[in-house]
Amino acid sequence: MPEHEMQPAFVLVRPQMGENIGAAARAMWNFGLERMRLVSPRDGWPNPRAVAMASGAGRLLDQAELCETLDAAIGDLTHVLATTARPRDLTREVLTPEQAMQRMRGIIADGGRPGILFGPERAGLENADIAAADALVSVPVNPRFGSLNLAQSVLLLAYEWGRLSDLAPPAQRGEGAQQDVLGRASKAEIKALSEHYEEELEQAGFFFPPDKAASMRLNLRAMWGRLPLSSADVRMLHGMLRQLVRRKG
Amino acid sequence: MPEHEMQPAFVLVRPQMGENIGAAARAMWNFGLERMRLVSPRDGWPNPRAVAMASGAGRLLDQAELCETLDAAIGDLTHVLATTARPRDLTREVLTPEQAMQRMRGIIADGGRPGILFGPERAGLENADIAAADALVSVPVNPRFGSLNLAQSVLLLAYEWGRLSDLAPPAQRGEGAQQDVLGRASKAEIKALSEHYEEELEQAGFFFPPDKAASMRLNLRAMWGRLPLSSADVRMLHGMLRQLVRRKG
């Protein structure tokens, strides 16, 4: 099965502004999704405003499947979810984006072909559109303020797909964390640093008065031991100390 | 504690377009977030384009804290995360949005005051901005295509905040962890410490040769910014430095 068939189709139903179609394409491609379908876009197709907005994700528009009716757009799908701002149809299950994308993964793993519907900018999906859906998806927003636009809804759903994806390599995370661990100073380096400071501070009369000296030393060692210093930090801290005490001579 | 103080501050650093500030406010308010701070917005403040775009979330703009410098904007915070598209600073931990918001919840539960930085539209945060951050946040996007704009980044972080709000409050932490967070130095304390060291090291001729001085200073600031220092650590480090340089006299 080609990789793109292991993704849900994102179906924009009667989208109005070309800009929003382009922005939706960008939002999808940020998270590796590339199967867009368009049902009867208001301003016809292709749409130069969509192309201009999609820059970098234009391929999704070129490959988008254009359909006259919603039935045609979802005919080959086995499962359909419908996004809605305010779930009105209480007979239908309402999923969070996370639940929706988990379900889509399960469907695909079982050999199904899922899709998700997004309504027109102003009014959203009509009851007739929703009739074909197995369940609804709604982003839980502030009850006092919900103002997600089409491209933002697509973005959040696509983000959830990416978040749950084991396929998409979270490259940044791995590299940084690994580097952090690799660059971490050894306990021997920390000990040498701690001793260097303790020695010079002793010379400078820092551990005073005498009855507090022991606990001051302990605090200092505890601080060096607790801080996540890299080997480079340790070298810099040695160099700083050497330079600070050199002045005295 | 007022409800809004139990939220992370969203700090927009040198934002350019008023429209994006307004869109960021809407994105935040969708998920109940209302603590916005603005560092030196390019087109001044207030900005009518921001107001027009924010419709419905205008209150966030009215109440936004306007700051001239990043230091002023984060001075009272105990923990700062910095968003970045391509993590360059490999010495710093890189979190996903989910990890970032989980951490912020834990910090707030422990009495800390966290914030999250968003850079200007074109270039993102500079290394000097990132120096004060405890860790980075990066949305894992398609390695072949990453095109999130400012308001979209804000939206995804705000969404993660909202998503985790539905879950149970963060697990109880040990006494030690709580003590650690409560004692955490504010960013203003860290800045003063950093300046104290920089000044004395300057006097001591540490920043040499001249062509390396700028990067040495940045490394030093980045180290102070990254280390989880307590207020007690900071006092000790000030005291150590004073004592070390006193000898010379």
Side-chain angles (χ1 to χ4, degrees), chain A residues 26 29-32 55-57 97-98 139-142 144-148 152 155-156 159-160 163 172-173 176 179-180 197 200-201 203-206 219-220 223 226-229 233 236-237 239-241 243-245 247-248, chain B residues 26 29-32 56 87 90-91 94 96-99 138-142 144-148 152 155-156 159-160 163 197 200-201 203-206 219-220 223 226-229 233 236-237 239-241 243-245 247-248:
Chain A
R26 288 167 68 101
W29 189 224
N30 264 296
F31 299 101
S55 69
E98 181 176 18
V139 179
V141 290
N142 183 349
R144 289 180 284 169
F145 184 75
S147 78
L148 299 174
Q152 287 175 322
L155 181 74
L156 291 176
Y159 166 78
E160 276 291 355
R163 197 174 67 78
Q172 301 95 327
R173 186 166 30 145
Q179 191 60 37
D180 182 43
Y197 269 80
E200 292 294 348
L201 287 166
Q203 291 286 323
F206 177 72
N219 282 341
L220 183 60
M223 181 186 76
R226 180 168 43 77
L227 295 177
L229 295 165
D233 292 335
M236 181 164 64
L237 287 162
M240 287 161 57
L241 181 57
Q243 198 64 29
L244 287 167
V245 301
R247 305 167 67 189
K248 73 174 194 297
Chain B
R26 289 167 68 101
W29 189 224
N30 264 294
F31 299 102
L90 295 181
T91 65
V94 182
T96 63
E98 180 177 19
Q99 291 167 333
S138 190
V139 179
V141 291
N142 184 349
R144 290 180 284 170
F145 185 74
S147 77
L148 298 175
Q152 287 176 323
L155 181 75
L156 291 176
Y159 167 77
E160 276 290 354
R163 197 172 67 78
Y197 269 80
E200 292 295 350
L201 288 166
Q203 292 287 322
F206 177 71
N219 282 342
L220 183 60
M223 182 187 74
R226 180 168 41 78
L227 294 178
L229 296 166
D233 292 336
M236 180 164 65
L237 287 161
M240 287 161 57
L241 181 58
Q243 198 64 30
L244 286 167
V245 301
R247 306 168 65 190
K248 74 175 193 299

Side-chain angles (χ1 to χ4, degrees), chain A residues 144, chain B residues 4 7 28-29 32-36 59-60 63:
Chain A
R144 289 180 284 169
Chain B
H4 74 275
Q7 302 180 347
M28 288 172 62
W29 189 224
L33 290 164
E34 48 191 318
R35 297 182 62 206
M36 177 184 271
R59 188 174 55 75
L60 272 71
Q63 297 172 359

Side-chain angles (χ1 to χ4, degrees), chain B residues 33-103:
Chain B
L33 290 164
E34 48 191 318
R35 297 182 62 206
M36 177 184 271
R37 297 180 180 190
L38 297 168
V39 178
S40 191
R42 185 189 66 185
D43 299 336
W45 197 254
N47 181 327
R49 288 170 181 268
V51 174
M53 180 61 96
S55 68
R59 188 174 55 75
L60 272 71
L61 301 183
D62 298 339
Q63 297 172 359
E65 292 175 42
L66 179 66
C67 304
E68 281 192 24
T69 65
L70 177 57
D71 286 330
I74 64 175
D76 64 327
L77 302 179
T78 58
H79 296 72
V80 170
L81 301 180
T83 55
T84 174
R86 289 161 297 279
R88 289 157 292 194
D89 177 352
L90 295 181
T91 65
R92 226 169 277 258
E93 191 181 12
V94 182
L95 306 174
T96 63
E98 180 177 19
Q99 291 167 333
M101 287 308 180
Q102 275 168 344
R103 185 167 300 188

